[in-house]
Amino acid sequence: MTANTASPLSNEAIVAALSAIVGPQACLSQAPDLQPFVTDYRGLYVGQAAAVVLPNSTEQVSQVMAWCHAHGVVVVPQGGNTSLMGGAVPEPQGQAVVLNLRRMNQVLAVDTVNDTLTLQAGVTLNAARKAAEDAGRLFPLRIGSEGSCQIGGNISTNAGGTAVLRYGNMRDLVLGVEAVLPDGRIYSGLRGLRKDNTGYDLKQLFIGSEGTLGIVTAAVLKLMPQPTASSVALAAVASPAAAVALLGEAKKTAGQAVTAFELISGPALDLVLGYLGKVKSPFEARHDWMVLIELTSGASAEGLDQTLMQVLESGLESGLVLDATLAQSGADAQTFWRIREEISDAQTRTGGSIKCDVSVPLSRIAAFIEEATAAVLALEPQTRMIVYGHMGDGNVHFNPLRPADRPAKDYLGAFYEPISRQVDSLAHAAGGSISAEHGVGVAKRDDLSHYKSEVELALMWQIKKALDPQGLLNPGKVLPAPVAAQA
Amino acid sequence: MTANTASPLSNEAIVAALSAIVGPQACLSQAPDLQPFVTDYRGLYVGQAAAVVLPNSTEQVSQVMAWCHAHGVVVVPQGGNTSLMGGAVPEPQGQAVVLNLRRMNQVLAVDTVNDTLTLQAGVTLNAARKAAEDAGRLFPLRIGSEGSCQIGGNISTNAGGTAVLRYGNMRDLVLGVEAVLPDGRIYSGLRGLRKDNTGYDLKQLFIGSEGTLGIVTAAVLKLMPQPTASSVALAAVASPAAAVALLGEAKKTAGQAVTAFELISGPALDLVLGYLGKVKSPFEARHDWMVLIELTSGASAEGLDQTLMQVLESGLESGLVLDATLAQSGADAQTFWRIREEISDAQTRTGGSIKCDVSVPLSRIAAFIEEATAAVLALEPQTRMIVYGHMGDGNVHFNPLRPADRPAKDYLGAFYEPISRQVDSLAHAAGGSISAEHGVGVAKRDDLSHYKSEVELALMWQIKKALDPQGLLNPGKVLPAPVAAQA
């Protein structure tokens, strides 16, 4: 299966037909207008498109898809265009149509008895969280791009983030999906049910498949009780293994109140403090490893700080914890979180980091970090080990960063390939994933050939071909080229 | 697509070939040996089989499937054979092979750092819970048949039960699956990862598809912290609407500690007390509606009873609650749960109940119960309204029972069709599901034609044909016959 990139239609004919569906204002075709839609978030991938359409209804999406299907035109669905994997921009050649959902940004219903939020796919994550908050509820997904990423994209990429430990990934937060299929048919699954065993759970097809099987146009999301209390601490720990042991203690003592458990390496803290003017290290000494722990509770508010203190004190006694500081106020908690959340930006501003988003079982993560660090330092001992993220989920952003005195281009040219391959291989060997939460897009597509079994790749293609036999929906993403026998 | 029920092979040839794979002791072919495997739990469906195979390894399952695939022989996967929908027995005609997983009953690994349990599909739910408990963890799935149902069946049917409110359905508890495909290939997805976005989430295909797409042979399950405290109460409430409002209060006060919230109608309690010799009603007066509430907590043990008392007292003040009794001991709590759990058996012993397992959004469940009750009583005013179950999930077992003086056969003959159709239609009209947790099997298969859209049915068939083009795996289950245009 290959995408139909040689449509016999002129770009003008495509624009004329789609303008008739969405209106001329909502069908962009001039190069400067197209530019932000064909360039990915990091500026690493620049695609080519005949048009960008901005439909305002599921019906319009359906009509666009039906027309493109009938005429062999490729469609690339796009939400906030915040993919880190180049998953939402078209391929460099061809006559793709980018279908951006931003105008479909209505909250359709908030049901505080059923605890559900029904909304169009183009609602930003922030707006969804706000709609929940206004109704006295929590929508718990929390990721860095929440101001611009959209719910449709969060669903299509099965977004993760910093509250997965307690609330799960996006897949766990979706009760119903409406999606437009590659041929324009509408799958209407906007049900707000916690139990429904009437046949195949079709919505799962559209969650995490990065827009290659259908375009999510609306969804029903779960709402949670708002936490009435939270307690946040930063703890310096002796090692990643100590962090894992401390997590075990926290779960034993605080149960499901453990909402976030984030690892921060010493060099990651150094980097952030270098950029954040007024923020000082919460610790007197410099430490190699730290964790941010957040407990939240919707029940008995009192006692959460004591519970967390108990975890930390027992950690200090047993030597797992070297030093610890409990947030004494909301402002403290915000500062702790800010330190954690600025790591990504600090890396971007520094330039020259090799981003590996891996997960391994918690029982093997400490050994993985040790082995992968040794492998990296054997290649370039001056590498700064920016290692951080969602340790509670077994997920670390393992991002070796160029030495301070070495140019980014030079470092990446020499080490991007060997380091990312080695880190991924070590994660895979530990029973892990080479893309825990960032997805595949085009960036990791060919890597799947190395790390997925033949059966897995064949099954993915069987599903793709069943739903999109022409290969018109987001081609070139997620699925590595099939080997001859499967083609 | 039709199942190949006219294989040119003799039964003897099938038995000979499969005996060579699994050994003669593990390939049954005599009628008396076959009988328990071809008859469903309730004795309502009796199928026909050429053989029953009892493989003891994934490799054997793979070889059996490969042989059957090559020879056009139908295979019906079977776990504990506790399906309420006839989902695990063969069709009445043909040369099916029943593939029972009971010999694959090994717990493969317990990882208390990663909080995962890896096991073969034939482990019973009780044994899985026991393995978790022995490791100081909780595997939270709780259903009536837990002594005999198997994990593979729980996965294939996406089992629900009484702890879904807090812990989710089986789908939410599965991290990894190993499954044998219709052609004998093995999908090896036994990963214990909480985050893995490397392509389509293939395990979802095998969860809840009732053995029509593959045979689950092993799984990695999530383990939870063991609750350190629980508090259980029975409360008489003014109406289903009052029950829903009380649930809202409980969630507001106790947050995620609310683990179970089960509705019990007056006639359901009457029925149970009639059978349970020594157990008396916990209430002095008779009430039309009651709820069983369970809070559990892994954190601060103290305070849970007070929290529940607070919920109940505020309910008494506002008139939602008419009377309430808090379990003063573990024995009390067990009695309360026993009352709830015996409802199913009490119905079986009475005979003549029409079992509807529906879910609707919580915001519409009270109105649904009212409307459906009125519809039933309009047909037969003496019907006993056995209405109970997992109200916290919007799921009720709505089981109209014959009047005490009317024979079961007579009542079911007159009312089974019209009542179940009317209850299902009202649930559907309220945005609900006609099978919340029991699945489809053969019993509800043709009903899907009424309640699923054309697009949904077509998508289900697209997936089925992609994975099982010959239609050899559990044919006649889940998918209603395709309409001509889709065939």
mmCIF file of all heavy atoms in Angstrom, chain A residues 236-264:
data_model
loop_
_atom_site.group_PDB
_atom_site.id
_atom_site.type_symbol
_atom_site.label_atom_id
_atom_site.label_comp_id
_atom_site.label_asym_id
_atom_site.label_seq_id
_atom_site.Cartn_x
_atom_site.Cartn_y
_atom_site.Cartn_z
ATOM 1 N N ALA A 236 15.736 14.719 47.945
ATOM 2 C CA ALA A 236 16.967 14.225 47.332
ATOM 3 C C ALA A 236 17.119 12.762 47.721
ATOM 4 O O ALA A 236 16.938 12.409 48.886
ATOM 5 C CB ALA A 236 18.160 15.040 47.830
ATOM 6 N N VAL A 237 17.415 11.938 46.732
ATOM 7 C CA VAL A 237 17.529 10.503 47.012
ATOM 8 C C VAL A 237 18.915 10.011 46.612
ATOM 9 O O VAL A 237 19.609 10.645 45.806
ATOM 10 C CB VAL A 237 16.444 9.689 46.279
ATOM 11 C CG1 VAL A 237 15.065 9.967 46.876
ATOM 12 C CG2 VAL A 237 16.440 9.987 44.778
ATOM 13 N N ALA A 238 19.265 8.866 47.171
ATOM 14 C CA ALA A 238 20.625 8.377 46.998
ATOM 15 C C ALA A 238 20.894 7.906 45.574
ATOM 16 O O ALA A 238 22.032 7.966 45.098
ATOM 17 C CB ALA A 238 20.884 7.241 47.995
ATOM 18 N N SER A 239 19.861 7.458 44.875
ATOM 19 C CA SER A 239 20.054 6.843 43.555
ATOM 20 C C SER A 239 18.687 6.601 42.932
ATOM 21 O O SER A 239 17.659 6.687 43.617
ATOM 22 C CB SER A 239 20.755 5.487 43.725
ATOM 23 O OG SER A 239 19.896 4.619 44.478
ATOM 24 N N PRO A 240 18.643 6.271 41.644
ATOM 25 C CA PRO A 240 17.354 5.862 41.065
ATOM 26 C C PRO A 240 16.744 4.671 41.810
ATOM 27 O O PRO A 240 15.526 4.613 41.995
ATOM 28 C CB PRO A 240 17.724 5.500 39.627
ATOM 29 C CG PRO A 240 18.897 6.378 39.308
ATOM 30 C CD PRO A 240 19.682 6.425 40.604
ATOM 31 N N ALA A 241 17.591 3.753 42.249
ATOM 32 C CA ALA A 241 17.055 2.610 43.000
ATOM 33 C C ALA A 241 16.399 3.071 44.295
ATOM 34 O O ALA A 241 15.350 2.559 44.703
ATOM 35 C CB ALA A 241 18.172 1.605 43.305
ATOM 36 N N ALA A 242 17.010 4.074 44.936
ATOM 37 C CA ALA A 242 16.404 4.624 46.159
ATOM 38 C C ALA A 242 15.078 5.297 45.835
ATOM 39 O O ALA A 242 14.117 5.214 46.612
ATOM 40 C CB ALA A 242 17.365 5.611 46.822
ATOM 41 N N ALA A 243 15.010 5.954 44.685
ATOM 42 C CA ALA A 243 13.751 6.581 44.279
ATOM 43 C C ALA A 243 12.649 5.542 44.121
ATOM 44 O O ALA A 243 11.518 5.732 44.574
ATOM 45 C CB ALA A 243 13.954 7.353 42.971
ATOM 46 N N VAL A 244 12.988 4.419 43.485
ATOM 47 C CA VAL A 244 11.988 3.357 43.291
ATOM 48 C C VAL A 244 11.538 2.815 44.643
ATOM 49 O O VAL A 244 10.336 2.597 44.876
ATOM 50 C CB VAL A 244 12.554 2.220 42.410
ATOM 51 C CG1 VAL A 244 11.607 1.032 42.383
ATOM 52 C CG2 VAL A 244 12.820 2.732 40.998
ATOM 53 N N ALA A 245 12.494 2.613 45.539
ATOM 54 C CA ALA A 245 12.133 2.093 46.867
ATOM 55 C C ALA A 245 11.256 3.093 47.618
ATOM 56 O O ALA A 245 10.283 2.714 48.289
ATOM 57 C CB ALA A 245 13.401 1.789 47.666
ATOM 58 N N LEU A 246 11.567 4.383 47.477
ATOM 59 C CA LEU A 246 10.772 5.406 48.143
ATOM 60 C C LEU A 246 9.348 5.430 47.580
ATOM 61 O O LEU A 246 8.366 5.606 48.319
ATOM 62 C CB LEU A 246 11.438 6.777 47.975
ATOM 63 C CG LEU A 246 10.772 7.948 48.700
ATOM 64 C CD1 LEU A 246 10.844 7.769 50.215
ATOM 65 C CD2 LEU A 246 11.418 9.282 48.294
ATOM 66 N N LEU A 247 9.230 5.232 46.277
ATOM 67 C CA LEU A 247 7.894 5.155 45.663
ATOM 68 C C LEU A 247 7.091 4.009 46.274
ATOM 69 O O LEU A 247 5.896 4.156 46.585
ATOM 70 C CB LEU A 247 8.018 4.974 44.146
ATOM 71 C CG LEU A 247 6.715 4.681 43.401
ATOM 72 C CD1 LEU A 247 5.726 5.836 43.527
ATOM 73 C CD2 LEU A 247 6.992 4.388 41.919
ATOM 74 N N GLY A 248 7.768 2.879 46.456
ATOM 75 C CA GLY A 248 7.094 1.746 47.083
ATOM 76 C C GLY A 248 6.593 2.099 48.477
ATOM 77 O O GLY A 248 5.461 1.783 48.852
ATOM 78 N N GLU A 249 7.437 2.800 49.242
ATOM 79 C CA GLU A 249 7.032 3.233 50.587
ATOM 80 C C GLU A 249 5.846 4.187 50.512
ATOM 81 O O GLU A 249 4.910 4.111 51.310
ATOM 82 C CB GLU A 249 8.214 3.928 51.296
ATOM 83 C CG GLU A 249 9.356 3.007 51.670
ATOM 84 C CD GLU A 249 8.905 1.907 52.637
ATOM 85 O OE1 GLU A 249 8.211 2.227 53.626
ATOM 86 O OE2 GLU A 249 9.229 0.730 52.381
ATOM 87 N N ALA A 250 5.918 5.108 49.559
ATOM 88 C CA ALA A 250 4.841 6.094 49.422
ATOM 89 C C ALA A 250 3.526 5.407 49.092
ATOM 90 O O ALA A 250 2.471 5.730 49.651
ATOM 91 C CB ALA A 250 5.203 7.119 48.351
ATOM 92 N N LYS A 251 3.578 4.431 48.188
ATOM 93 C CA LYS A 251 2.345 3.717 47.832
ATOM 94 C C LYS A 251 1.810 2.930 49.029
ATOM 95 O O LYS A 251 0.610 2.849 49.240
ATOM 96 C CB LYS A 251 2.590 2.794 46.636
ATOM 97 C CG LYS A 251 2.750 3.563 45.320
ATOM 98 C CD LYS A 251 2.527 2.680 44.097
ATOM 99 C CE LYS A 251 3.775 1.941 43.693
ATOM 100 N NZ LYS A 251 3.661 1.299 42.356
ATOM 101 N N LYS A 252 2.752 2.382 49.810
ATOM 102 C CA LYS A 252 2.324 1.598 50.971
ATOM 103 C C LYS A 252 1.664 2.506 52.007
ATOM 104 O O LYS A 252 0.661 2.146 52.607
ATOM 105 C CB LYS A 252 3.534 0.873 51.578
ATOM 106 C CG LYS A 252 3.175 -0.306 52.445
ATOM 107 C CD LYS A 252 4.303 -1.317 52.527
ATOM 108 C CE LYS A 252 5.401 -0.850 53.460
ATOM 109 N NZ LYS A 252 6.536 -1.807 53.474
ATOM 110 N N THR A 253 2.236 3.670 52.194
ATOM 111 C CA THR A 253 1.738 4.561 53.242
ATOM 112 C C THR A 253 0.536 5.381 52.770
ATOM 113 O O THR A 253 -0.416 5.583 53.509
ATOM 114 C CB THR A 253 2.852 5.542 53.690
ATOM 115 O OG1 THR A 253 4.013 4.770 53.979
ATOM 116 C CG2 THR A 253 2.431 6.325 54.917
ATOM 117 N N ALA A 254 0.595 5.855 51.543
ATOM 118 C CA ALA A 254 -0.414 6.822 51.097
ATOM 119 C C ALA A 254 -1.377 6.243 50.064
ATOM 120 O O ALA A 254 -2.314 6.926 49.640
ATOM 121 C CB ALA A 254 0.278 8.056 50.524
ATOM 122 N N GLY A 255 -1.174 4.992 49.654
ATOM 123 C CA GLY A 255 -2.109 4.353 48.727
ATOM 124 C C GLY A 255 -2.285 5.159 47.452
ATOM 125 O O GLY A 255 -1.328 5.691 46.893
ATOM 126 N N GLN A 256 -3.544 5.254 47.016
ATOM 127 C CA GLN A 256 -3.799 5.912 45.746
ATOM 128 C C GLN A 256 -3.698 7.429 45.825
ATOM 129 O O GLN A 256 -3.909 8.114 44.827
ATOM 130 C CB GLN A 256 -5.166 5.489 45.212
ATOM 131 C CG GLN A 256 -5.161 4.044 44.749
ATOM 132 C CD GLN A 256 -6.399 3.690 43.968
ATOM 133 O OE1 GLN A 256 -7.498 3.721 44.498
ATOM 134 N NE2 GLN A 256 -6.234 3.366 42.700
ATOM 135 N N ALA A 257 -3.390 7.956 46.997
ATOM 136 C CA ALA A 257 -3.184 9.405 47.080
ATOM 137 C C ALA A 257 -1.929 9.839 46.330
ATOM 138 O O ALA A 257 -1.800 11.007 45.958
ATOM 139 C CB ALA A 257 -3.085 9.831 48.546
ATOM 140 N N VAL A 258 -1.026 8.902 46.077
ATOM 141 C CA VAL A 258 0.193 9.253 45.332
ATOM 142 C C VAL A 258 -0.204 9.607 43.904
ATOM 143 O O VAL A 258 -0.603 8.763 43.120
ATOM 144 C CB VAL A 258 1.212 8.097 45.321
ATOM 145 C CG1 VAL A 258 2.506 8.549 44.651
ATOM 146 C CG2 VAL A 258 1.490 7.604 46.727
ATOM 147 N N THR A 259 -0.111 10.880 43.575
ATOM 148 C CA THR A 259 -0.623 11.378 42.295
ATOM 149 C C THR A 259 0.495 11.615 41.298
ATOM 150 O O THR A 259 0.326 11.409 40.100
ATOM 151 C CB THR A 259 -1.420 12.677 42.540
ATOM 152 O OG1 THR A 259 -2.451 12.387 43.480
ATOM 153 C CG2 THR A 259 -2.031 13.210 41.257
ATOM 154 N N ALA A 260 1.631 12.064 41.776
ATOM 155 C CA ALA A 260 2.771 12.269 40.888
ATOM 156 C C ALA A 260 4.044 11.851 41.621
ATOM 157 O O ALA A 260 4.170 12.048 42.839
ATOM 158 C CB ALA A 260 2.870 13.728 40.449
ATOM 159 N N PHE A 261 4.959 11.272 40.871
ATOM 160 C CA PHE A 261 6.256 10.870 41.423
ATOM 161 C C PHE A 261 7.265 11.046 40.292
ATOM 162 O O PHE A 261 7.424 10.188 39.436
ATOM 163 C CB PHE A 261 6.208 9.419 41.915
ATOM 164 C CG PHE A 261 7.386 9.038 42.776
ATOM 165 C CD1 PHE A 261 7.313 9.157 44.157
ATOM 166 C CD2 PHE A 261 8.573 8.576 42.209
ATOM 167 C CE1 PHE A 261 8.398 8.810 44.969
ATOM 168 C CE2 PHE A 261 9.667 8.232 43.010
ATOM 169 C CZ PHE A 261 9.573 8.353 44.391
ATOM 170 N N GLU A 262 7.907 12.229 40.295
ATOM 171 C CA GLU A 262 8.728 12.651 39.168
ATOM 172 C C GLU A 262 10.197 12.663 39.548
ATOM 173 O O GLU A 262 10.584 13.226 40.578
ATOM 174 C CB GLU A 262 8.304 14.061 38.733
ATOM 175 C CG GLU A 262 6.849 14.172 38.284
ATOM 176 C CD GLU A 262 6.662 13.724 36.855
ATOM 177 O OE1 GLU A 262 7.486 14.111 36.008
ATOM 178 O OE2 GLU A 262 5.689 12.985 36.577
ATOM 179 N N LEU A 263 11.000 12.070 38.691
ATOM 180 C CA LEU A 263 12.451 12.041 38.905
ATOM 181 C C LEU A 263 13.096 13.290 38.293
ATOM 182 O O LEU A 263 12.652 13.784 37.257
ATOM 183 C CB LEU A 263 13.020 10.792 38.226
ATOM 184 C CG LEU A 263 14.516 10.517 38.386
ATOM 185 C CD1 LEU A 263 14.829 10.067 39.810
ATOM 186 C CD2 LEU A 263 14.982 9.465 37.387
ATOM 187 N N ILE A 264 14.120 13.798 38.947
ATOM 188 C CA ILE A 264 14.903 14.924 38.417
ATOM 189 C C ILE A 264 16.376 14.626 38.679
ATOM 190 O O ILE A 264 16.790 14.475 39.833
ATOM 191 C CB ILE A 264 14.519 16.258 39.108
ATOM 192 C CG1 ILE A 264 13.025 16.558 38.910
ATOM 193 C CG2 ILE A 264 15.372 17.413 38.564
ATOM 194 C CD1 ILE A 264 12.522 17.744 39.747
#
